[in-house]
Amino acid sequence: MKKLFINRNKELENEIEVYLLSIHNATLTFNEGVGDYVKNNHKRFQERIDKLIDIERQADDQLKDLKYKLYKYNLIPDFSGDVLALLDSLDDISDASKQILIQLSIEKPNIYDYLKDDFIKLAETSLKCVETLLGGVRGFFSNSKAVEEIVNRVYFYEAEVDKIEEVLKRQIFNTEITIELSERMHLRYFINKIAQISDTAEQIALKLSIFKLKRNI
Amino acid sequence: MSFTLGSIVFLSAGLFMGWSLGANDAANIFGTAVGTKMIKFRTAATICSIFVIAGAVISGAGASHTLGQLGAINALAGAFAVSLAAALTVFGMTKQCLPVSTSQSIVGSIIGWNLFAGVSTDPVILYKILSTWLFAPLLGAVFAIIFYCAINFILNRVEIHLLRLDNYSRIALVLAGVFGSYSLGANNIANVMGVFINVSSFGDIYIKDLFHISGIQQLFLIGGIAISIGVITYSKKVMLTVGTNIFKLSPVTAFIVVLASSTVLFIFASEGLKMWLIERNLPSFPLVPVSQSQAVVGAILGIGIIKGGRNVNFKILWKIAIGWILTPILSLMISFVLLFLVQNVFMQNVFLK
């Protein structure tokens, strides 16, 4: 009987919060990393990559531990599927952030001066989108009424990212500066990759609003 | 009734009834909790066994007294036939997947005995019992609606973390299970051992001046143990079926259903509550064995209604109505046939003039 009332839930509650902080740190580092790359701060950019790899590894370990505990102790049996789907999707964000920085360091696309501001803005708005989403995830766990409003803000930031993405692509393909088509496509590839972070956030937000509805007794 | 081989054979019908009750009705209390793995079966079975026995021994007398008023069976062989008829009706209807209530089957059997023995059935008592069959699911629905609104009100205002809510739900399910098991024992022991009360020869036991257990309580203790054996040996399968296949309830709604149905059983079993209400000039409830399964179905329908009537399966209401009519009629007929056989084939006295 004593075992029945051991509060593993509190332990797991803290671990979920730590995991959400890891995802937040990963996107903050990603944003700083993009800024450093665009501004040609190569040494700091490499440090950001190393840090992001480290954060991502930690987040992976935390996620594995969360999954193990949720199933081993059969916590929140009627919501464990939803919670794991949510946490797994968040891992996609940190994973994508890491991959983008690594690919930037390998492929070294040339970010022209006239594109730099919008590139940074693209990363910053993606960060805002993810930060807002994380607030929504916390709201889902605490049964906050604000979840729907937060989800709406995620949609808003995602739409902003789409606008910046379009502006950037138009600037790349309509410029009078002589750039090889392959280089234009290379830049477009990275813009798509960065914009995908907010797309992922939008998909998670959609799941979140459904899970929130299911939380009602 | 001393412990002769014959008396054990006669009592076995009641024990069989107790076993089936434990095997089937424990699932109404812990089905969702065990089926969704919120509570381990071993924990549920232990809690259920202990509190069913406690409820039967401490508060079982009230509902049994009403059954005794319906038909005071005065021969051991008659009690055996009545109990066996009720148990066979439950068994047969369960096999046919028809909703069945031990309360309704025992009432039908007792009326069968009244007819066989030429004893008139008190219409006032019969009306009292029949009306509770209608009231039990209705009250189950009303209590479920009240509890649902109260819990929903609290959960919408207090921001409880999902994991903390999960923990509170587990504790609530255990506490509701304790209450449910106690109420089941208190209310339904009448179905298991009620017919043996008048023919029991268990004497009162006194241990110095500290401890006293009456003959009826000893009878209820044996019945309670039979229910517990049913819980331990066979209820797991039923719990897993209830928990995963039939009713898709969340832990919070499962708690509401158990609490609402247990409250129904409790108010129809508690002599203390009845006295308390009478002392305050409030309307009291008759002490009558009622069907827990039907109180549970009533509670689930109540939740369905408050949620806007979605997913309410009105076919279940039909099935209950069929069960209401079929169960007592079937058990009455089986009881009559069994009494005839026991009297004329086995040459046993089934009633005393």
Side-chain angles (χ1 to χ4, degrees):
Chain A
M1 181 71 80
K2 194 182 164 191
K3 268 188 192 171
L4 188 74
F5 295 118
I6 291 175
N7 198 351
R8 289 210 172 79
N9 301 59
K10 183 74 193 161
E11 191 184 319
L12 203 71
E13 195 181 318
N14 292 336
E15 286 182 24
I16 288 175
E17 185 52 37
V18 171
Y19 176 71
L20 294 180
L21 285 174
S22 296
I23 302 294
H24 189 202
N25 281 338
T27 37
L28 278 171
T29 312
F30 164 76
N31 181 49
E32 293 300 316
V34 171
D36 288 331
Y37 181 81
V38 169
K39 291 171 191 161
N40 296 321
N41 296 326
H42 298 300
K43 189 169 170 275
R44 270 205 302 203
F45 174 64
Q46 192 51 51
E47 284 169 7
R48 302 283 186 204
I49 293 176
D50 295 340
K51 192 180 170 191
L52 187 48
I53 289 170
D54 200 38
I55 293 170
E56 214 271 329
R57 193 185 301 126
Q58 280 176 21
D60 278 349
D61 291 342
Q62 287 157 1
L63 184 60
K64 274 181 215 157
D65 198 44
L66 281 170
K67 283 181 183 176
Y68 175 78
K69 282 184 179 158
L70 266 176
Y71 280 113
K72 186 178 180 202
Y73 303 117
N74 196 45
L75 302 172
I76 43 170
D78 51 336
F79 282 107
S80 56
D82 292 350
V83 168
L84 286 180
L86 201 59
L87 300 179
D88 253 336
S89 312
L90 288 174
D91 188 54
D92 292 344
I93 291 177
S94 66
D95 198 40
S97 307
K98 183 187 81 176
Q99 288 304 329
I100 293 168
L101 287 200
I102 291 173
Q103 275 176 300
L104 279 174
S105 76
I106 296 168
E107 298 177 23
K108 294 187 177 63
N110 184 14
I111 313 290
Y112 291 88
D113 284 344
Y114 75 101
L115 298 173
K116 282 183 176 174
D117 285 348
D118 282 334
F119 239 93
I120 289 170
K121 208 173 161 190
L122 185 70
E124 277 175 356
T125 314
S126 299
L127 169 68
K128 274 185 193 168
C129 192
V130 174
E131 281 178 331
T132 309
L133 172 73
L134 290 172
V137 173
R138 287 189 178 95
F140 162 74
F141 280 113
S142 61
N143 202 25
S144 165
K145 283 197 195 76
V147 171
E148 267 314 309
E149 186 235 312
I150 293 172
V151 164
N152 214 32
R153 272 166 50 206
V154 174
Y155 294 157
F156 170 79
Y157 284 123
E158 196 277 333
E160 287 298 301
V161 169
D162 283 351
K163 281 180 200 163
I164 302 164
E165 182 187 0
E166 190 188 330
V167 168
L168 267 168
K169 285 177 181 171
R170 286 191 189 282
Q171 283 177 328
I172 290 165
F173 285 96
N174 296 335
T175 182
E176 288 170 4
I177 301 168
T178 316
I179 307 176
E180 289 287 324
L181 180 62
S182 58
E183 201 177 353
R184 290 176 206 260
M185 291 174 78
H186 196 205
L187 284 168
R188 185 187 66 182
Y189 168 79
F190 277 99
I191 291 164
N192 282 344
K193 278 281 175 192
I194 295 172
Q196 264 178 19
I197 290 178
S198 63
D199 291 340
T200 309
E202 186 191 28
Q203 285 161 15
I204 299 172
L206 183 64
K207 279 186 195 171
L208 198 60
S209 50
I210 295 164
F211 295 161
K212 178 71 176 69
L213 278 178
K214 282 169 75 180
R215 259 208 79 170
N216 297 330
I217 61 166
Chain B
M1 190 194 320
S2 53
F3 269 112
T4 61
L5 185 63
S7 68
I8 292 169
V9 169
F10 284 132
L11 205 57
S12 65
L15 300 180
F16 175 47
M17 185 79 165
W19 180 85
S20 348
L21 186 90
N24 284 300
D25 284 20
N28 291 329
I29 303 166
F30 282 109
T32 305
V34 172
T36 56
K37 295 176 181 159
M38 291 287 280
I39 299 173
K40 284 180 185 167
F41 172 73
R42 195 187 296 173
T43 310
T46 309
I47 292 170
C48 196
S49 301
I50 293 169
F51 286 95
V52 155
I53 295 173
V57 175
I58 299 166
S59 306
S64 303
H65 180 68
T66 309
L67 270 194
Q69 285 178 315
L70 183 70
I73 298 165
N74 52 16
L76 188 54
F80 165 78
V82 165
S83 187
L84 186 62
L88 288 174
T89 308
V90 171
F91 182 74
M93 286 191 62
T94 309
K95 273 267 176 193
Q96 296 299 315
C97 297
L98 287 165
V100 63
S101 147
T102 51
S103 312
Q104 285 161 1
S105 86
I106 199 78
V107 166
S109 296
I110 291 172
I111 296 171
W113 182 86
N114 285 350
L115 289 175
F116 192 84
V119 177
S120 61
T121 303
D122 186 343
V124 177
I125 299 291
L126 186 61
Y127 174 75
K128 203 199 259 186
I129 292 173
L130 292 180
S131 58
T132 58
W133 291 352
L134 188 69
F135 273 117
L138 276 177
L139 270 177
V142 170
F143 282 135
I145 290 170
I146 294 168
F147 295 146
Y148 180 90
C149 291
I151 291 173
N152 210 20
F153 180 84
I154 295 165
L155 291 181
N156 281 337
R157 270 149 194 84
V158 184
E159 291 186 359
I160 303 174
H161 195 282
L162 185 63
L163 283 148
R164 235 172 288 170
L165 180 67
D166 179 69
N167 199 40
Y168 297 153
S169 303
R170 279 169 209 263
I171 295 169
L173 281 169
V174 168
L175 295 178
V178 166
F179 179 49
S181 305
Y182 185 90
S183 302
L184 180 69
N187 188 284
N188 277 199
I189 192 67
N191 303 336
V192 176
M193 286 292 154
V195 292
F196 294 97
I197 289 177
N198 292 328
V199 290
S200 161
S201 59
F202 283 117
D204 290 5
I205 295 174
Y206 293 91
I207 299 173
K208 295 186 179 169
D209 287 335
L210 297 170
F211 188 73
H212 165 236
I213 179 161
S214 69
I216 293 174
Q217 283 177 319
Q218 289 168 55
L219 196 64
F220 288 174
L221 177 66
I222 293 170
I225 292 169
I227 300 174
S228 298
I229 293 170
V231 173
I232 294 162
T233 56
Y234 204 75
S235 68
K236 188 174 184 178
K237 200 177 152 191
V238 188
M239 281 186 190
L240 294 176
T241 309
V242 169
T244 55
N245 293 343
I246 302 173
F247 309 125
K248 284 277 180 197
L249 296 174
S250 73
V252 178
T253 46
F255 164 71
I256 294 168
V257 167
V258 175
L259 193 63
S261 58
S262 306
T263 308
V264 172
L265 261 70
F266 183 77
I267 61 171
F268 284 115
S270 173
E271 287 177 303
L273 177 69
K274 186 177 180 169
M275 292 308 295
W276 189 87
L277 289 168
I278 289 170
E279 279 168 15
R280 281 155 187 80
N281 294 319
L282 292 167
S284 66
F285 295 91
L287 304 181
V288 176
V290 290
S291 163
Q292 195 199 29
S293 310
Q294 290 174 8
V296 164
V297 171
I300 291 171
L301 283 172
I303 290 176
I305 290 164
I306 196 76
K307 278 185 164 180
R310 294 187 304 268
N311 305 325
V312 174
N313 187 354
F314 287 98
K315 279 184 186 168
I316 290 176
L317 288 176
W318 252 120
K319 276 196 155 189
I320 289 181
I322 292 167
W324 272 338
I325 299 161
L326 259 186
T327 311
I329 293 174
L330 253 177
S331 63
L332 187 152
M333 291 193 300
I334 296 172
S335 169
F336 201 89
V337 172
L338 280 180
L339 286 164
F340 180 82
L341 288 175
V342 171
Q343 181 179 262
N344 299 299
V345 177
F346 297 99
M347 299 301 170
Q348 298 288 324
N349 276 337
V350 291
F351 62 91
L352 303 175
K353 286 178 184 169

